[in-house]
Amino acid sequence: MFKPGSRQQQQQQQLNTKGAAISLDEENGSQPKETSDILLPNQEDNIAHIAVDIGGSLAKVVWFSKSPETVGGRLNFVKFETQHIDRCIDFIGTLLEENPQAGRVIEATGGGAHKYYDLISTRLGVQIQKEDEMECLITGLNFLVRQIAYEVFTYDERRPEPMQFDNSSPGELFPYLLVNIGSGVSIIKVTSDETYERISGTSLGGGTLWGLLSLLTDAKDYDEMLDISKTGDNKNVDMLVGDIYGGDYPKIGLKGTTIASSFGKVFKTPAEERKSKFKQADIAVSLLYLVSNNIGQIAYLNAQAHGIQRIYFSGFFIRGHPITMNTLSYAISFWSKGKIKALFLRHEGYLGAVGAFLRHTPAKTRLASFMENFSHTQKISGSSVGAVGSLEEYPADLCPFPLIREPAVYVPDTSDLRDPELQRYWIDLLDVNLEHLVSIALKWEGQTNPGVNVKDRAATFEKMYREHLKLLRKEPNAYGVLTVRSLLNLREQCLREMGFTDIFHGIKQDENRAALQGLGLLVSKLDSLDEPERLDVLVEHILAGNMYDCSTVIQEMLKRGELDFSKAKQSVGKPSDSKLYNYPDFKAKILGGHVYRKAVILVDNSGADIMFGIIPFARYLLSKGTAVVLGANSHPAVNDITADELKEIARQIATQDAVFRTALADGTLAVVETGSGSPCLDLMRVSQQLASAVSDVDLVVLEGMGRAIHTNFHAKFLVDSVKVAVFKNPHIAAELGAAMYDGMFVFESVV
């Protein structure tokens, strides 16, 4: 049993892994790349280290580069065939020349760290620190699984969606088996951050496949070998159960398609016919099955012997290749009778190199928070399934909303877009709306930053997003499960990528400024109403304000200090299903004398929505003795109000209104960031600030279509909750039993 102990180190700088995220290699653009780089957004010190993992077949390099414009940096990745080790050394030499620093140390692991130690030291003239290979593999895997969201996935072509991400909590990491498939195979049992043991292995690995295919095919490299295997049919080479029994062998549970003997048909073919009869593609796929099936069986037998349920496969043998992953998955599922799944990692080939790089960093790191950014996408390899984007901190320290009743079953999205017709509808809708969005970007960004290539950036954004929509028409699950939220988030990501961080900024300012001028008059009118009518009008105003979530047509009405709520109220209908509108239950509880201790209102839009809908409602609760937390986006998204904007509005209102002034002064009113930069809201990823602020809340209010309809419609809470919004899309309205422009008020009481 081995335990990674603390070694005597020279004074080395610490790598800040908080907020680690996968990033795109800009130089390659949209070209397929075998792995993504990792952003370290909180890194401030220049790390003077480069790490290399030299295996029998491949040498993998990881190095740190610091962004010249922002705090943080990036872990970069590149590979070389070990037979061309000189190219690898030359590459590292170039890095050293371009980034001269005193005290450079190269962390080296793998067998080549010993074999090529003298060569690297002599050629580069820097210190080489050899690291234990197993320790590096484990350190790398633990880092990636804990720090990189959606790093782990399963693959099974028997499912409608073969590639599915593993959502297990990092707290469930141990124990696990790490099956590292390089030239050979090592099987490592890991029971904690500090404890591991190599329990098995086999010489039948990647090197076996590459060597035999080099002899039997014309393929020049592994990528070409994998490409050849795509068109192959192993039935032409392998002897199947059906070839022996004429069909299935049900008594012992063998299907006729099960391989009875790899390459079994070759032996029975006359020698003079073998070269002409067997195609290279068939040979390639047969060998791939042979190696993968055997590795899968050996891995399962070890897991069974040690009582382990989680098996991670890593190494450049996999490369995201569907046949390889599917074969390993089938083998694990077959032998475990479906109880265990094969787990794969996005950076499967770089565990050792990442681990070596992190050896000067504390082994235990806290899970940071980041989102996957698909504005630029790439593939793990040319033959891999699906596409990956960058994973960026957005922002750090996100956590689950503490009032969710059942976090384990919570899903933010009300529905996914599995129906092809629904996919086309939403993609077409967003495609059509692009022109309007671009016009807003040109108008408002042109006014604030007229000389910063606005037209070119807007055109690039439009092209970028349309290319994504084009791909999603063909491959709806290319970026994971397709939802309204994912499509809207993708649009925001593309806008930000082209420098449009807040295209509605000007519109929001104008609407908020005009609404603020008329708020006093509106509040006076509301205060003059009797209690029952006052609450009715407040709710009507929330729905009326939500109708005008993105309209510039109401500017003049706002400037006059009024909004045509009567027209809005006429437009807002009431669903026939009482489950979508049970406001009378909420009204009865309030008018019955119940006073909530503290309410959190997760707000939506700027302008009429926040000023004439939510602010008066929050003020009403405050006047009743209820403390109020207003949760708003941390970052801009369409015309949604941000926390910074709302804080300024609250301060301005406080100069005019005694209720707000007192509440801000005594802390019964607070504005906090939700941690989101999306038109929707995932309650499993909210800011620590919000989570802390709602610890004593007994009323949750979700407002707006993005937060209460597209997401969180099915969310259940530990306390009373209200979901209030207007249906402004016919498809989602019909799905939930409403009509277009119906106003939803769903009150759920836990008592």
Side-chain angles (χ1 to χ4, degrees), residues 9-64:
Q9 301 179 359
Q10 297 180 348
Q11 291 213 340
Q12 299 171 328
Q13 293 166 300
Q14 296 291 298
L15 178 66
N16 188 345
T17 59
K18 177 181 174 183
I22 300 174
S23 175
L24 168 75
D25 180 353
E26 294 87 349
E27 294 182 1
N28 287 337
S30 61
Q31 295 300 312
K33 185 169 178 274
E34 291 179 359
T35 190
S36 304
D37 303 327
I38 293 181
L39 288 170
L40 301 172
N42 294 298
Q43 178 60 38
E44 299 184 46
D45 295 329
N46 286 317
I47 302 299
H49 290 74
I50 298 171
V52 58
D53 176 11
I54 309 175
S57 303
L58 296 168
K60 289 81 68 178
V61 180
V62 172
W63 77 98
F64 177 83

Coordinates of all heavy atoms in Angstrom, one line a residue, residues 9-64:
Q9 N 10.6 20.0 -0.5 CA 10.5 20.8 -1.8 C 11.3 22.1 -1.6 O 11.5 22.6 -0.5 CB 9.1 21.2 -2.1 CG 8.2 20.0 -2.3 CD 6.8 20.4 -2.6 OE1 6.5 21.6 -2.7 NE2 5.9 19.5 -2.8
Q10 N 11.8 22.6 -2.7 CA 12.4 23.9 -2.7 C 11.3 24.9 -2.5 O 10.1 24.6 -2.7 CB 13.2 24.2 -4.0 CG 14.3 23.2 -4.2 CD 15.0 23.5 -5.5 OE1 14.5 24.3 -6.3 NE2 16.1 22.9 -5.7
Q11 N 11.6 26.1 -2.2 CA 10.5 27.1 -2.0 C 9.9 27.3 -3.4 O 10.5 27.9 -4.3 CB 11.1 28.4 -1.5 CG 11.6 28.3 -0.1 CD 11.4 29.6 0.7 OE1 11.2 30.6 0.1 NE2 11.4 29.5 2.0
Q12 N 8.7 26.8 -3.5 CA 8.0 26.9 -4.8 C 6.7 27.7 -4.7 O 6.0 27.6 -3.6 CB 7.6 25.5 -5.3 CG 8.9 24.6 -5.5 CD 8.5 23.2 -5.8 OE1 7.6 22.7 -5.3 NE2 9.4 22.5 -6.6
Q13 N 6.3 28.4 -5.7 CA 5.1 29.1 -5.7 C 3.9 28.2 -5.7 O 3.9 27.1 -6.3 CB 5.0 30.1 -6.9 CG 6.1 31.1 -6.8 CD 6.2 31.8 -8.2 OE1 6.5 31.2 -9.2 NE2 6.0 33.1 -8.2
Q14 N 2.8 28.6 -5.0 CA 1.6 27.8 -4.9 C 0.7 28.1 -6.1 O 0.5 29.3 -6.5 CB 0.9 28.1 -3.6 CG 1.7 27.7 -2.4 CD 1.8 26.2 -2.3 OE1 0.8 25.5 -2.2 NE2 3.0 25.7 -2.4
L15 N 0.1 27.1 -6.7 CA -0.8 27.2 -7.8 C -2.2 27.4 -7.2 O -2.7 26.5 -6.5 CB -0.8 26.0 -8.7 CG -1.7 26.0 -9.9 CD1 -1.4 27.2 -10.8 CD2 -1.7 24.7 -10.6
N16 N -2.9 28.5 -7.5 CA -4.3 28.7 -7.0 C -5.2 28.0 -8.0 O -5.6 28.5 -9.1 CB -4.6 30.2 -7.0 CG -5.9 30.5 -6.3 OD1 -6.7 29.6 -6.2 ND2 -6.1 31.8 -6.0
T17 N -5.7 26.8 -7.6 CA -6.6 26.0 -8.5 C -8.1 26.4 -8.3 O -8.9 25.8 -9.0 CB -6.5 24.5 -8.1 OG1 -6.8 24.3 -6.8 CG2 -5.0 24.1 -8.4
K18 N -8.4 27.3 -7.4 CA -9.8 27.7 -7.2 C -10.3 28.3 -8.5 O -9.8 29.2 -9.1 CB -9.8 28.8 -6.1 CG -11.2 29.3 -5.9 CD -11.1 30.4 -4.8 CE -12.5 31.1 -4.6 NZ -12.4 32.2 -3.6
G19 N -11.5 27.8 -8.9 CA -12.2 28.3 -10.1 C -11.6 27.8 -11.4 O -11.8 28.3 -12.4
A20 N -10.9 26.6 -11.3 CA -10.3 26.1 -12.5 C -11.3 25.8 -13.6 O -12.5 25.4 -13.3 CB -9.6 24.8 -12.2
A21 N -11.0 26.0 -14.8 CA -11.9 25.8 -15.9 C -11.3 25.4 -17.2 O -10.2 25.9 -17.5 CB -12.7 27.1 -16.1
I22 N -12.0 24.6 -18.0 CA -11.4 24.2 -19.3 C -11.6 25.4 -20.3 O -12.6 26.0 -20.4 CB -12.1 23.0 -19.8 CG1 -11.9 21.8 -18.8 CG2 -11.6 22.6 -21.2 CD1 -12.7 20.6 -19.2
S23 N -10.6 25.6 -21.2 CA -10.7 26.7 -22.2 C -10.2 26.2 -23.5 O -9.5 25.2 -23.7 CB -9.7 27.8 -21.7 OG -9.7 28.8 -22.6
L24 N -10.6 27.0 -24.5 CA -10.3 26.7 -25.9 C -9.0 27.2 -26.3 O -8.5 28.2 -25.8 CB -11.4 27.5 -26.8 CG -11.1 27.5 -28.3 CD1 -11.4 26.2 -28.9 CD2 -12.0 28.6 -28.9
D25 N -8.3 26.5 -27.2 CA -7.0 27.0 -27.7 C -7.4 27.9 -28.9 O -7.8 27.4 -30.0 CB -6.2 25.8 -28.2 CG -4.9 26.2 -28.9 OD1 -4.7 27.4 -29.0 OD2 -4.1 25.3 -29.2
E26 N -7.2 29.2 -28.7 CA -7.7 30.1 -29.7 C -7.0 29.9 -31.1 O -7.6 30.2 -32.1 CB -7.4 31.6 -29.3 CG -8.2 32.0 -28.0 CD -7.6 31.6 -26.7 OE1 -6.6 30.9 -26.7 OE2 -8.1 32.0 -25.7
E27 N -5.7 29.5 -31.1 CA -5.0 29.4 -32.3 C -5.6 28.4 -33.3 O -5.6 28.5 -34.5 CB -3.6 29.0 -32.0 CG -2.8 30.1 -31.3 CD -1.3 29.7 -31.1 OE1 -1.0 28.6 -31.6 OE2 -0.6 30.5 -30.5
N28 N -6.2 27.3 -32.7 CA -6.8 26.3 -33.5 C -8.2 26.6 -34.0 O -8.8 25.9 -34.8 CB -6.8 24.9 -32.8 CG -5.5 24.3 -32.7 OD1 -4.6 24.7 -33.5 ND2 -5.2 23.5 -31.7
G29 N -8.8 27.7 -33.4 CA -10.1 28.1 -33.8 C -11.1 26.9 -33.6 O -11.2 26.4 -32.5
S30 N -11.9 26.6 -34.6 CA -12.9 25.6 -34.5 C -12.4 24.2 -34.9 O -13.1 23.3 -35.0 CB -14.1 26.0 -35.4 OG -13.7 26.0 -36.8
Q31 N -11.1 24.1 -35.2 CA -10.5 22.8 -35.6 C -10.6 21.8 -34.4 O -10.4 22.2 -33.2 CB -9.1 23.0 -36.0 CG -8.9 23.8 -37.3 CD -9.7 23.2 -38.5 OE1 -9.5 22.0 -38.7 NE2 -10.5 24.0 -39.1
P32 N -10.9 20.6 -34.7 CA -10.9 19.6 -33.6 C -9.6 19.5 -32.9 O -8.5 19.5 -33.5 CB -11.2 18.3 -34.3 CG -11.9 18.7 -35.6 CD -11.2 20.0 -36.0
K33 N -9.6 19.5 -31.5 CA -8.5 19.5 -30.7 C -8.7 18.4 -29.7 O -9.7 18.2 -29.2 CB -8.2 20.8 -30.0 CG -7.0 20.9 -29.2 CD -6.7 22.4 -28.8 CE -5.5 22.5 -28.0 NZ -5.8 22.3 -26.6
E34 N -7.6 17.6 -29.4 CA -7.8 16.4 -28.6 C -8.1 16.7 -27.1 O -8.5 15.9 -26.4 CB -6.6 15.5 -28.7 CG -6.5 15.0 -30.1 CD -5.3 14.1 -30.3 OE1 -4.5 14.0 -29.3 OE2 -5.1 13.5 -31.4
T35 N -7.8 17.9 -26.7 CA -8.2 18.3 -25.3 C -8.3 19.8 -25.2 O -7.8 20.5 -26.0 CB -7.1 17.7 -24.3 OG1 -7.6 17.9 -23.0 CG2 -5.8 18.4 -24.4
S36 N -8.9 20.2 -24.1 CA -9.0 21.6 -23.9 C -8.0 22.0 -22.8 O -7.6 21.2 -22.0 CB -10.4 22.0 -23.4 OG -11.4 21.5 -24.3
D37 N -7.7 23.3 -22.8 CA -6.8 23.9 -21.8 C -7.7 24.2 -20.5 O -8.9 24.2 -20.6 CB -6.1 25.1 -22.3 CG -5.3 24.9 -23.5 OD1 -4.8 23.8 -23.7 OD2 -5.3 25.8 -24.4
I38 N -7.0 24.4 -19.4 CA -7.7 24.7 -18.2 C -7.4 26.1 -17.7 O -6.2 26.4 -17.5 CB -7.3 23.7 -17.1 CG1 -7.9 22.3 -17.4 CG2 -7.9 24.1 -15.7 CD1 -7.6 21.3 -16.4
L39 N -8.4 26.9 -17.6 CA -8.2 28.3 -17.1 C -8.1 28.3 -15.6 O -8.8 27.5 -14.9 CB -9.4 29.2 -17.5 CG -9.5 29.6 -18.9 CD1 -10.9 30.2 -19.2 CD2 -8.4 30.5 -19.3
L40 N -7.2 29.1 -15.0 CA -7.1 29.3 -13.6 C -7.4 30.7 -13.3 O -6.4 31.5 -13.2 CB -5.7 28.8 -13.1 CG -5.4 27.4 -13.4 CD1 -3.9 27.1 -13.0 CD2 -6.3 26.4 -12.7
P41 N -8.6 31.1 -13.2 CA -9.0 32.6 -13.2 C -8.5 33.3 -11.9 O -8.4 34.5 -11.9 CB -10.5 32.6 -13.3 CG -10.9 31.2 -12.8 CD -9.8 30.3 -13.2
N42 N -8.2 32.6 -10.9 CA -7.8 33.2 -9.6 C -6.3 33.2 -9.4 O -5.8 33.6 -8.4 CB -8.5 32.6 -8.4 CG -9.9 32.8 -8.5 OD1 -10.4 34.0 -8.4 ND2 -10.7 31.8 -8.6
Q43 N -5.5 32.7 -10.4 CA -4.1 32.6 -10.3 C -3.5 34.0 -10.5 O -3.7 34.6 -11.6 CB -3.5 31.6 -11.3 CG -2.0 31.5 -11.3 CD -1.5 31.1 -9.9 OE1 -2.1 30.2 -9.3 NE2 -0.4 31.6 -9.5
E44 N -2.7 34.5 -9.6 CA -2.0 35.8 -9.7 C -0.5 35.7 -9.9 O 0.1 36.5 -10.5 CB -2.4 36.7 -8.5 CG -3.9 36.9 -8.4 CD -4.2 37.9 -7.3 OE1 -3.5 38.9 -7.1 OE2 -5.1 37.6 -6.5
D45 N 0.1 34.6 -9.3 CA 1.5 34.5 -9.4 C 1.9 33.7 -10.6 O 1.2 32.9 -11.1 CB 2.1 33.7 -8.2 CG 1.8 34.4 -6.9 OD1 1.9 35.6 -6.9 OD2 1.6 33.7 -5.8
N46 N 3.0 34.1 -11.2 CA 3.6 33.3 -12.3 C 4.2 32.0 -11.8 O 5.0 32.0 -11.0 CB 4.7 34.1 -13.1 CG 4.1 35.3 -13.9 OD1 3.1 35.1 -14.5 ND2 4.7 36.4 -13.8
I47 N 3.7 30.9 -12.3 CA 4.2 29.6 -11.9 C 5.3 29.2 -12.8 O 5.2 29.2 -14.0 CB 3.1 28.5 -12.0 CG1 1.9 29.0 -11.1 CG2 3.6 27.2 -11.5 CD1 2.2 29.1 -9.6
A48 N 6.4 28.9 -12.2 CA 7.6 28.7 -13.0 C 7.8 27.2 -13.4 O 9.0 26.8 -13.5 CB 8.9 29.2 -12.2
H49 N 6.7 26.5 -13.5 CA 6.9 25.1 -13.8 C 6.2 24.7 -15.1 O 5.2 25.2 -15.5 CB 6.2 24.3 -12.6 CG 7.0 24.4 -11.4 ND1 7.0 25.5 -10.6 CD2 7.8 23.5 -10.7 CE1 7.7 25.3 -9.5 NE2 8.2 24.1 -9.6
I50 N 6.8 23.6 -15.6 CA 6.3 22.9 -16.8 C 6.3 21.5 -16.4 O 7.2 21.0 -15.7 CB 7.1 23.1 -18.1 CG1 7.2 24.6 -18.4 CG2 6.6 22.3 -19.2 CD1 8.2 25.0 -19.5
A51 N 5.2 20.7 -16.8 CA 5.2 19.3 -16.4 C 5.1 18.5 -17.7 O 4.5 18.9 -18.7 CB 4.0 19.0 -15.6
V52 N 5.7 17.3 -17.7 CA 5.7 16.4 -18.8 C 5.5 15.0 -18.3 O 6.1 14.6 -17.3 CB 7.0 16.5 -19.7 CG1 8.2 16.2 -18.8 CG2 6.9 15.6 -20.9
D53 N 4.6 14.2 -19.0 CA 4.4 12.8 -18.7 C 4.8 12.0 -19.9 O 4.2 12.1 -20.9 CB 2.9 12.6 -18.4 CG 2.5 11.2 -18.1 OD1 3.4 10.3 -18.0 OD2 1.3 10.8 -18.1
I54 N 5.9 11.3 -19.8 CA 6.4 10.6 -20.9 C 6.1 9.1 -20.8 O 6.7 8.4 -20.0 CB 7.9 10.8 -21.0 CG1 8.2 12.3 -21.0 CG2 8.5 10.2 -22.3 CD1 9.7 12.7 -21.0
G55 N 5.2 8.6 -21.6 CA 4.9 7.2 -21.6 C 5.6 6.5 -22.7 O 6.4 7.1 -23.4
G56 N 5.3 5.2 -22.9 CA 5.9 4.4 -23.9 C 5.5 4.9 -25.3 O 6.3 4.7 -26.3
S57 N 4.3 5.4 -25.5 CA 3.9 5.8 -26.8 C 3.8 7.3 -27.0 O 4.0 7.8 -28.1 CB 2.5 5.2 -27.0 OG 2.5 3.8 -26.9
L58 N 3.3 8.0 -25.9 CA 3.1 9.5 -26.0 C 3.7 10.2 -24.9 O 3.8 9.8 -23.8 CB 1.6 9.7 -26.1 CG 0.8 9.1 -27.2 CD1 -0.7 9.2 -27.0 CD2 1.1 9.9 -28.5
A59 N 4.2 11.4 -25.2 CA 4.7 12.4 -24.2 C 3.7 13.5 -24.2 O 3.4 14.2 -25.2 CB 6.1 12.9 -24.6
K60 N 3.2 13.8 -23.0 CA 2.2 14.9 -22.8 C 2.8 16.0 -22.0 O 3.4 15.8 -20.9 CB 0.9 14.3 -22.1 CG 0.1 13.4 -22.9 CD 0.6 12.0 -23.0 CE 0.5 11.3 -21.7 NZ 0.9 9.8 -21.7
V61 N 2.6 17.2 -22.5 CA 3.2 18.4 -21.8 C 2.1 19.3 -21.3 O 1.1 19.6 -22.0 CB 4.1 19.2 -22.8 CG1 4.7 20.4 -22.1 CG2 5.2 18.3 -23.3
V62 N 2.2 19.8 -20.0 CA 1.3 20.7 -19.4 C 2.2 21.9 -19.0 O 3.2 21.7 -18.4 CB 0.6 20.2 -18.2 CG1 -0.2 21.2 -17.5 CG2 -0.4 19.1 -18.7
W63 N 1.8 23.1 -19.4 CA 2.5 24.3 -18.9 C 1.5 25.4 -18.6 O 0.4 25.4 -19.1 CB 3.5 24.7 -19.9 CG 3.0 25.5 -21.1 CD1 2.9 26.8 -21.3 CD2 2.4 24.9 -22.3 NE1 2.4 27.1 -22.5 CE2 2.1 26.0 -23.2 CE3 2.2 23.6 -22.7 CZ2 1.5 25.8 -24.4 CZ3 1.6 23.4 -24.0 CH2 1.2 24.4 -24.8
F64 N 2.0 26.3 -17.8 CA 1.2 27.5 -17.3 C 1.5 28.7 -18.1 O 2.6 29.0 -18.4 CB 1.4 27.7 -15.9 CG 0.7 28.9 -15.3 CD1 -0.6 28.8 -14.9 CD2 1.3 30.1 -15.2 CE1 -1.3 29.8 -14.4 CE2 0.6 31.2 -14.7 CZ -0.7 31.1 -14.3

